[in-house]
Amino acid sequence: MVLKWIFDRLMALIGLLILWPVLLVVAILVKVKMPGGPALFVQKRVGKDGKLFDCHKFRTMTVKHNGSTVSVAGDSRITPLGAKLRHYKLDELPGLWDVLIGNMSFVGPRPDVPGYADQLKRDDRDVLKLRPGITGPATLKYRLEDEMIADYVAKKQAEGDKRDAQEIAVEYNDTVIYPDKVRLNYYYYHHYSFMKDIQMMCCTVLGKKMEYNHELI
């Protein structure tokens, strides 16, 4: 994957040089629209070989909040500006820095919080041999994950489920979405293709779908 390593750093540098005005504008908007906290959200995530690193994003939630790492569309913790940043993936732009310094790749599994990565068993731990990515097969398939979870929560509650929305969301993530992401990322590791990486990046930017492992993502 030497070509991937070179491509990541070169494109991250070019991206930062071209997009720095966008990053500046978004940072200012976050500070103005969501005062009282930093523009960037920095959190420890699990990287290549299970090593922790600081993952950078634009902040999309209120400063003082408690709750699960699983978020739902309409979550009160997510500000109106934050919802827009998430929908258009602008909150991910600071990840270009993480790619440039080698903690992340453009394409790979999304970096998990420690609690989830620790659950990987046996062959599934092959996923940890990859640098986490800004996009990837699982990211493409679940690009509207917040909305998907919200729809599921609404469906369950309409059926009479009396549990808290966050509890339903976590269950759906843990039993359906997360295992499927692991499956996709495991396939990616064992069937790596540089051209597929390029295709995934283009689909991410353009908001398009693509065929991958005999399914549409």
Side-chain angles (χ1 to χ4, degrees):
M1 293 186 178
V2 176
L3 180 60
K4 180 182 178 73
W5 189 91
I6 296 172
F7 176 85
D8 280 342
R9 278 147 189 79
L10 179 61
M11 292 306 296
L13 178 59
I14 293 173
L16 286 169
L17 291 175
I18 294 175
L19 296 175
W20 71 264
V22 178
L23 275 82
L24 179 60
V25 169
V26 174
I28 292 172
L29 284 173
V30 172
K31 292 293 289 184
V32 171
K33 296 291 186 179
M34 294 186 280
L40 290 178
F41 172 70
V42 183
Q43 186 181 49
K44 291 291 183 184
R45 296 291 180 98
V46 179
K48 189 176 184 296
D49 300 322
K51 296 178 180 178
L52 295 180
F53 73 99
D54 288 329
C55 182
H56 299 81
K57 292 184 177 185
F58 282 121
R59 182 167 60 87
T60 59
M61 291 187 174
T62 55
V63 178
K64 295 181 180 180
H65 68 78
N66 296 307
S68 167
T69 56
V70 179
S71 57
V72 183
D75 191 325
S76 61
R77 299 174 299 169
I78 303 173
T79 69
L81 173 62
K84 290 185 173 63
L85 295 179
R86 285 179 172 230
H87 183 79
Y88 294 104
K89 306 304 180 186
L90 293 174
D91 62 317
E92 302 284 356
L93 287 178
L96 289 171
W97 173 253
D98 295 321
V99 175
L100 181 65
I101 64 176
N103 286 333
M104 291 182 65
S105 173
F106 274 104
V107 182
R110 289 299 299 158
D112 284 321
V113 293
Y116 278 97
D118 293 343
Q119 297 175 23
L120 294 171
K121 305 295 183 183
R122 298 183 293 278
D123 291 345
D124 285 346
R125 294 191 66 81
D126 283 349
V127 172
L128 295 177
K129 297 176 183 178
L130 293 163
R131 280 187 176 81
I134 293 177
T135 189
T139 304
L140 281 175
K141 183 171 181 178
Y142 293 99
R143 70 186 78 198
L144 299 177
E145 182 178 332
D146 288 1
E147 288 87 344
M148 293 169 66
I149 294 176
D151 289 344
Y152 178 81
V153 170
K155 177 176 177 290
K156 294 295 290 184
Q157 290 181 331
E159 292 172 350
D161 195 324
K162 301 300 184 183
R163 289 178 297 167
D164 177 79
Q166 196 66 49
E167 186 179 350
I168 299 172
V170 170
E171 179 190 68
Y172 183 53
N173 177 76
D174 292 357
T175 61
V176 178
I177 294 180
Y178 185 70
D180 193 42
K181 287 181 177 180
V182 173
R183 175 186 64 84
L184 285 164
N185 292 325
Y186 180 83
Y187 180 87
Y188 174 81
Y189 173 74
H190 288 281
H191 300 84
Y192 171 73
S193 164
F194 181 72
M195 293 310 298
K196 283 292 184 182
D197 271 14
I198 300 300
Q199 186 179 0
M200 285 184 221
M201 291 173 63
C202 291
C203 287
T204 299
V205 173
L206 299 175
K208 301 292 185 181
K209 292 183 177 293
M210 62 177 279
E211 185 176 334
Y212 188 75
N213 190 23
H214 309 297
E215 65 177 304
L216 199 62
I217 62 172

